[in-house]
Amino acid sequence: MTDSQFRDFIHSAPPLAGQLGLTHVTDCARLGSLVASRKLEPRLCDVFGEHLIYFFYGRPAYRRQWDGGTTSNLDYARICLVLRDDIAALAHRILPFDSGGFKRYSSAFHDSLKLPDFEILASDHPLKIIGAFYDTLEGYWTMNPRQPRTFHATENIIRSYYQLITGGLAEQFDDRCASIEVQLAAPLPLNGEVLALIGPNQIFDDPAVQTMVADWGAEPRGYRVSKMFNPAEVAGRLFAEVERFLEDRGWL
Amino acid sequence: MTSGILSARAVALFNPTSEPGFLQPLFAGGRGDNRTYVQIFSAPDHLDGLIDVAWPERDVAGLINEPIVEIGGETLWAFQFPGDDRIVDHWNGFREFMRGRIADPVLADRPLLLFDIVDTLEIAEARRDVFTRAYRTYAAMHGDAADRWRNRAILEPALAKAISEPEGSFDREGIEPGDPRAFVYRPSFRIESDGAQTRLVSQKPLRKVDMQRLSEAYEALIREFPEILPKNFKIVPTTRPPAATTPFEMPVTFRVILTGRLQTTALRQDWLSEDVEVISGSHFHPQLRTGRKPDLTIILGMQTDWGEMVRMSLTMGADQAIIISLSSARLPLLRDFEFQSKVQHPTITLFAPYSGGARDRRDPISSIKPLLRILRHEMKEEPTTLIQRLFKARHNVFLRERIVEEDAPIEAGCRLAAKALKSGSRVDGQARLYVEGGLFFEADMAWCSIFDPMFTMESRYPLEVDAPASTLHLLVERDEFGRGDKEGARMIRGIRRIFEMRGWTVSEGTRGSFEIEAEDRRFSVLVVGDGKQTPLENDLYPNPGLTRAPLLILHSQGNRDQLLIGNRGQFFHATPEDIALMVPGTMWVWPILRKQLFDKRPHVSQSMLRLTAALVVEAIRMDRFDATPHIGWGWISNCLSSADCERFIAFVEQRGPKNPVILEIRTQHSDDGAANSVRVAFSILDDGPQVSVLAPASKQQDLF
């Protein structure tokens, strides 16, 4: 049976003021279908067994396999859609971390904790999670929660999550453990929803992409692919590009 | 963490965009190694390492010819043109080929891909047209996008380069993919614009000289891109409130792992209060640690315990780590080369004679404190890129040179270069210069350019570090066994470069020597390793005098007595450090002799007495003495020129290297058997020796 402890804790927290938007990261190989459809389609998720679209709040986390090994996947150059905050109101499910990594976190949690224990109300906004654990949006952005904090013995789920995001568990995880995940279950037409399209410079040579961006009113923000040939570089570079966009907007 | 392989062959190309553009070469190692590798480089033309990756699922094209790359050599690049046309070549060839294809019609309708090509390959002549066209492409899509893109992609990198800010590099050893501390290029300023004006908003105070450079750089950019840049440029101090403490600004932490004999040495202070965690190697394993990882792990040991350091480094895994080796020998030894061949992490060797163990009462961390200070300073803004920025070379030496107010920069630089050479540094190796203490340094002094003939300096200006004393520090690439010159050739090559640093023109000579020339004066120079290589003097010829020696012999391993003995003869003997004093157009012989004889508290030896005697004679010959009537200078000169001249001269005292030396010269015995003597003050000035009478001494002598 799902424990409502975490959900209630977040529901009662005041949302932090401001906004960061939602991000959806994919790779260049999918650009063609995006241009053709102008929407995001749900795809079957092996964690929940449902057709879902995944977003992260603010942080451009990328849902890929948690292999945990030293061998890196050579990924395609990534593109990131930055979408309006209002999209979160369409949420089917919201979790305070990348659900795909739960199997790894759970080995560091008490074995009684399950993934649904960490779901918040779909009607609550991610800014409530941020307000509950961070003092500022920058704190969330840089994984710097409010410290120190103590919790009652009965607040075990909240304490477990807090330990996860403060690095207080026996194992350390990457930033996806603190990136708020927003899932949609229905297709999302993108007209009017996209604030920025971040991707390799060369994708904007394509007249179809140029038209799409102009139709959306989105800002095209290109980066140089040849700076990012190290797999470990890719995530960090995209992080920098999104961070710069948010700073240009005055949101960070 | 980069793999340990040193070379690989390209077997395929991966297309990260599925479209025409840059391709990523995939490599295979040697026989039995079935892993796939990609290149890691911090500069586009230099291969730093290879890391293993998973073979991509698709968009991979195999190669028939399999070009080879080697660590430290040229990188391999590839490009897919629209259609099937493809180029694969090493950096220089690749660049030249692409330069010729900029105007290719197949690229005509791809202005942003052209931007990537021109920007990556730094094709200067195409920048104006290509960058302007790229800007217009963005402008057509979105009103503000073009200015913001231009600020990020063109202005910030160009202006950062103007003040030698690092742009970051590709390899992030020890950083997990997706870690928020992975590469984030954060210049110390941001560019904003509103159409009429470009503003540079600085995140930290800028030096006046940097503001000047930024303004000049922007002027140059306006000339290059008049159509896309506002003419008005303003530098503004930041009004952004200080950011909340972030992982990027958290205090830097070091974890120092003591190995070998250092483990039994007691620490003398609480290093944890300075963010340095010190652990004994026998109590450490990275898999057992919990809590936040340090920004840098340092494996510290004595050079003789190199095996322990190697074993510890193998347990480090993906942690960002370096090895610091304390050496009691200034010169490179064979075990250094063994150590280099076994270790995977970057190493720094510094001269710190340290016996280690319980009997040595010195704290081992104290010996590396200046290095920690510099590492801490380097990590302030970019802790995660330390290894890539500082350690272009795998093996390095760390040297220091204290600066006093009278030091000319070139002199201090030559001394430091000579030390580096004797410590095994590689001529033309990668080097970084640091300046500690600002008392004697001008902000715009081109310290780094002093070393240009000797090393590849990584920036135009040294990094300034707060510290109480004025010191130059040099972190320079150390030669590796089997690579580069043999030791003798390396030493000769390095000495020739130090002469160039000092302002001499160097040319080939005969019979192993080389010639140096400046200000219409020319000398032959012979470099010798040990005394056996010193050429024999010709007894048939008289000594030409100290300022007229036909040959300068530089002893790379000489001791003081060898120099002093030699300088009574036909040749002039010096060390590589003495080149610092060889100012062209001056009588440099005298400052060198002064240093050889009196620089530090001298050990009085027969060779020292004999050379001093010869210099007193020289002073008399040059009429640089008091014409005191009752002193028989002629007789003194005869005595001090005899074969056993040391009978007639003794040191009394020397009150510091800048003061005259007090000598007692015994002249003749009086009737009662006591020796008559005279005390003189003897100095070696910049233009020659000088002797003056103090007083006849009493018959009770106070000798050294």
Side-chain angles (χ1 to χ4, degrees):
Chain A
M1 184 169 169
T2 303
D3 195 320
S4 66
Q5 178 198 125
F6 189 83
R7 186 183 67 220
D8 295 341
F9 177 74
I10 298 299
H11 183 67
S12 63
L16 208 64
Q19 57 176 317
L20 291 176
L22 278 75
T23 61
H24 180 81
V25 180
T26 184
D27 62 52
C28 279
R30 300 191 189 278
L31 185 60
S33 62
L34 192 66
V35 170
S37 67
R38 302 273 189 111
K39 60 182 165 186
L40 293 174
E41 296 277 4
R43 288 161 56 201
L44 184 62
C45 165
D46 54 6
V47 174
F48 293 95
E50 303 170 22
H51 285 78
L52 300 167
I53 311 172
Y54 284 89
F55 302 84
F56 286 93
Y57 191 71
R59 305 173 62 83
Y62 185 56
R63 290 193 93 249
R64 57 163 175 74
Q65 192 175 353
W66 283 76
D67 55 34
T70 55
T71 302
S72 300
N73 289 327
L74 205 61
D75 292 328
Y76 285 95
R78 292 182 188 166
I79 59 176
C80 175
L81 300 169
V82 183
L83 301 112
R84 297 185 310 107
D85 240 47
D86 296 351
I87 304 288
L90 306 173
H92 171 67
R93 183 182 287 116
I94 301 178
L95 284 153
F97 44 58
D98 174 12
S99 57
F102 184 74
K103 278 188 186 164
R104 289 197 67 192
Y105 318 140
S106 59
S107 62
F109 291 151
H110 189 274
D111 55 12
S112 65
L113 298 184
K114 302 285 181 273
L115 189 56
D117 293 329
F118 293 92
E119 283 185 37
I120 69 169
L121 289 172
S123 55
D124 279 335
H125 195 277
L127 287 168
K128 282 200 163 195
I129 300 176
I130 299 177
F133 290 99
Y134 302 88
D135 288 323
T136 61
L137 289 177
E138 276 192 344
Y140 166 70
W141 183 257
T142 54
M143 288 178 64
N144 193 28
R146 194 181 308 137
Q147 293 188 70
R149 289 185 76 172
T150 54
F151 298 95
H152 299 303
T154 52
E155 294 178 314
N156 57 313
I157 302 176
I158 304 165
R159 187 189 321 114
S160 294
Y161 178 71
Y162 182 73
Q163 287 179 319
L164 178 68
I165 63 174
T166 54
L169 296 175
E171 192 177 349
Q172 307 246 320
F173 304 95
D174 67 32
D175 73 319
R176 288 174 291 170
C177 75
S179 298
I180 299 167
E181 181 181 280
V182 177
Q183 301 171 8
L184 267 60
L188 180 68
L190 293 172
N191 280 358
E193 306 290 7
V194 181
L195 300 170
L197 172 62
I198 299 171
N201 279 317
Q202 64 202 78
I203 68 170
F204 299 108
D205 280 331
D206 185 339
V209 173
Q210 292 174 6
T211 303
M212 179 177 75
V213 165
D215 289 347
W216 286 348
E219 182 180 340
R221 294 179 73 104
Y223 62 78
R224 229 177 67 189
V225 164
S226 50
K227 272 182 180 276
M228 295 171 48
F229 276 167
N230 176 2
E233 174 100 353
V234 172
R237 188 73 199 192
L238 207 60
F239 185 87
E241 294 289 337
V242 173
E243 181 182 66
R244 189 59 187 272
F245 171 76
L246 297 175
E247 286 176 346
D248 286 346
R249 285 259 162 164
W251 294 349
L252 264 187
Chain B
M1 181 178 162
T2 56
S3 69
I5 66 169
L6 300 177
S7 68
R9 54 195 168 84
V11 296
L13 303 170
F14 171 61
N15 190 337
T17 63
S18 302
E19 292 287 327
F22 286 95
L23 305 175
Q24 184 161 21
L26 304 175
F27 297 83
R31 192 187 294 274
D33 180 359
N34 61 356
R35 289 177 291 182
T36 303
Y37 298 96
V38 294
Q39 301 169 105
I40 299 296
F41 46 90
S42 48
D45 59 345
H46 183 271
L47 182 62
D48 294 330
L50 294 155
I51 63 166
D52 55 310
V53 295
W55 186 265
E57 294 164 356
R58 49 196 167 93
D59 281 292
V60 175
L63 288 173
I64 299 173
N65 298 323
E66 296 180 343
I68 306 285
V69 294
E70 292 182 347
I71 305 298
E74 277 190 281
T75 46
L76 190 75
W77 287 76
F79 189 90
Q80 175 73 54
F81 289 89
D84 286 334
D85 197 7
R86 201 170 64 197
I87 166 74
V88 183
D89 201 351
H90 292 91
W91 169 257
N92 284 318
F94 178 82
R95 189 163 174 266
E96 284 315 299
F97 178 87
M98 294 298 288
R99 189 199 294 269
R101 295 287 297 265
I102 294 296
D104 194 318
V106 299
L107 296 175
D109 58 349
R110 296 174 187 264
L112 295 176
L113 182 59
L114 273 171
F115 170 83
D116 278 4
I117 295 170
V118 170
D119 195 33
T120 301
L121 304 181
E122 295 178 2
I123 301 174
E125 64 271 18
R127 274 167 53 103
R128 177 172 175 165
D129 289 343
V130 168
F131 286 19
T132 302
R133 199 167 153 222
Y135 174 88
R136 290 195 176 128
T137 303
Y138 275 110
M141 279 187 274
H142 187 283
D144 299 326
D147 283 352
R148 288 203 271 266
W149 172 84
R150 173 205 63 204
N151 295 346
R152 291 192 321 273
I154 301 177
L155 286 181
E156 285 176 6
L159 293 175
K161 199 173 173 182
I163 55 172
S164 301
E165 279 211 353
E167 197 179 340
S169 56
F170 298 111
D171 186 15
R172 298 290 175 264
E173 285 200 15
I175 302 300
E176 300 289 338
D179 188 307
R181 296 184 306 148
F183 175 75
V184 172
Y185 170 42
R186 289 171 154 246
S188 63
F189 57 84
R190 289 294 170 92
I191 299 293
E192 298 171 354
S193 55
D194 61 7
Q197 184 185 65
T198 298
R199 286 181 303 282
L200 183 147
V201 180
S202 179
Q203 311 291 322
K204 64 179 185 184
L206 284 170
R207 300 181 305 176
K208 196 173 165 188
V209 61
D210 284 340
M211 292 172 67
Q212 174 78 17
R213 286 180 199 132
L214 287 167
S215 297
E216 288 168 1
Y218 192 81
E219 289 295 318
L221 286 166
I222 290 178
R223 288 192 294 274
E224 191 176 10
F225 307 111
E227 297 159 75
I228 64 172
L229 285 183
K231 286 192 171 34
N232 199 343
F233 177 64
K234 187 177 178 183
I235 299 173
V236 299
T238 181
T239 56
R240 185 189 295 272
T245 304
T246 73
F248 306 107
E249 292 164 59
M250 278 183 167
V252 167
T253 53
F254 296 111
R255 176 181 291 155
V256 177
I257 304 171
L258 300 179
T259 62
R261 272 164 283 182
L262 293 185
Q263 294 182 82
T264 57
T265 305
L267 300 179
R268 300 293 166 194
Q269 68 178 79
D270 173 23
W271 291 101
L272 202 54
S273 62
E274 297 191 26
D275 281 329
V276 181
E277 183 192 14
V278 184
I279 309 170
S280 171
S282 57
H283 298 144
F284 173 82
H285 193 285
Q287 297 303 324
L288 298 176
R289 304 300 291 185
T290 58
R292 186 171 178 271
K293 286 183 184 178
D295 287 312
L296 181 68
T297 298
I298 296 172
I299 299 168
L300 181 66
M302 294 165 58
Q303 184 198 46
T304 44
D305 291 327
W306 66 268
E308 298 275 334
M309 291 190 277
V310 169
R311 272 189 286 279
M312 183 56 64
S313 75
L314 292 174
T315 67
M316 282 294 113
D319 287 0
Q320 180 162 251
I322 64 171
I323 300 174
I324 298 180
S325 167
L326 305 180
S327 172
S328 57
R330 288 195 190 273
L331 299 175
L333 303 172
L334 185 59
R335 61 172 174 245
D336 290 329
F337 299 130
E338 288 180 278
F339 174 40
Q340 286 172 348
S341 67
K342 301 270 189 245
V343 76
Q344 299 296 322
H345 288 90
T347 69
I348 303 177
T349 300
L350 59 145
F351 178 67
Y354 197 85
S355 59
R359 283 185 296 179
D360 198 317
R361 296 185 60 77
R362 288 170 297 170
D363 188 321
I365 310 298
S366 298
S367 58
I368 63 169
K369 201 170 172 184
L371 185 51
L372 289 181
R373 206 156 47 224
I374 283 169
L375 290 171
R376 192 191 305 277
H377 191 94
E378 286 276 12
M379 291 166 78
K380 251 185 208 168
E381 289 187 13
E382 279 279 0
T384 62
T385 66
L386 181 77
I387 301 278
Q388 298 73 35
R389 282 184 292 113
L390 257 61
F391 301 104
K392 300 282 195 300
R394 189 176 287 279
H395 302 293
N396 307 270
V397 285
F398 183 71
L399 304 127
R400 55 191 303 183
E401 182 69 26
R402 191 64 67 87
I403 307 294
V404 294
E405 195 162 3
E406 307 84 70
D407 272 337
I410 290 184
E411 189 176 318
C414 286
R415 288 202 305 267
L416 189 51
K419 261 191 200 172
L421 184 65
K422 290 172 86 167
S423 298
S425 67
R426 189 167 83 83
V427 180
D428 293 328
Q430 300 283 338
R432 288 177 79 91
L433 186 69
Y434 302 90
V435 160
E436 275 197 330
L439 185 60
F440 305 124
F441 301 106
E442 295 296 326
D444 57 357
M445 192 177 286
W447 277 96
C448 289
S449 62
I450 292 173
F451 293 90
D452 278 344
M454 185 76 176
F455 303 119
T456 304
M457 302 308 293
E458 290 195 26
S459 67
R460 288 171 57 204
Y461 299 94
L463 188 67
E464 292 180 35
V465 181
D466 289 332
S470 296
T471 313
L472 277 183
H473 291 288
L474 188 69
L475 183 68
V476 61
E477 183 178 350
R478 202 177 199 197
D479 218 359
E480 291 187 49
F481 183 70
R483 295 169 179 256
D485 302 328
K486 292 193 174 168
E487 179 56 22
R490 182 188 71 86
M491 188 60 70
I492 292 172
R493 195 157 154 248
I495 287 173
R496 289 172 64 133
R497 298 291 183 87
I498 300 177
F499 274 112
E500 289 177 15
M501 284 174 65
R502 185 67 264 195
W504 295 87
T505 302
V506 180
S507 57
E508 295 304 319
T510 57
R511 284 185 272 177
S513 69
F514 58 88
E515 305 282 304
I516 59 171
E517 183 176 354
E519 307 279 340
D520 296 327
R521 297 193 68 195
R522 193 181 175 95
F523 304 93
S524 293
V525 181
L526 184 70
V527 178
V528 300
D530 58 33
K532 294 177 195 165
Q533 298 172 316
T534 306
L536 296 173
E537 297 184 359
N538 191 334
D539 293 335
L540 296 179
Y541 291 103
N543 285 348
L546 287 160
T547 60
R548 292 171 293 280
L551 181 65
L552 168 62
I553 298 180
L554 277 181
H555 295 256
S556 63
Q557 297 176 36
N559 60 45
R560 184 166 168 266
D561 277 336
Q562 276 178 315
L563 304 175
L564 300 180
I565 292 170
N567 280 332
R568 272 197 92 225
Q570 295 177 342
F571 308 133
F572 191 76
H573 296 251
T575 64
E577 288 88 346
D578 293 333
I579 301 174
L581 298 171
M582 292 179 61
V583 182
T586 68
M587 304 288 282
W588 44 262
V589 164
W590 304 120
I592 291 178
L593 287 170
R594 183 171 61 229
K595 171 177 169 283
Q596 289 177 356
L597 280 166
F598 306 132
D599 202 27
K600 296 171 186 170
R601 188 176 173 80
H603 167 68
V604 179
S605 61
Q606 187 184 53
S607 57
M608 185 188 189
L609 290 174
R610 291 171 66 82
L611 181 59
T612 304
L615 288 170
V616 172
V617 171
E618 184 74 8
I620 295 170
R621 188 190 68 76
M622 295 168 75
D623 285 333
R624 293 167 68 96
F625 62 93
D626 288 344
T628 313
H630 65 282
I631 301 295
W633 290 107
W635 175 247
I636 290 174
S637 181
N638 287 341
C639 291
L640 297 183
S641 301
S642 64
D644 56 348
C645 59
E646 62 273 15
R647 289 196 300 124
F648 299 101
I649 189 168
F651 281 94
V652 176
E653 65 176 339
Q654 180 190 8
R655 290 181 185 169
K658 296 182 184 178
N659 294 325
V661 172
I662 309 302
L663 303 172
E664 183 170 288
I665 301 176
R666 300 191 194 95
T667 51
Q668 59 191 6
H669 286 83
S670 61
D671 293 338
D672 62 3
N676 286 333
S677 59
V678 59
R679 286 200 175 181
V680 299
F682 174 70
S683 322
I684 305 177
L685 305 178
D686 287 346
D687 58 351
Q690 177 90 26
V691 62
S692 56
V693 176
L694 287 179
S698 69
K699 290 172 187 178
Q700 297 297 320
Q701 307 300 319
D702 292 326
L703 300 174
F704 251 28

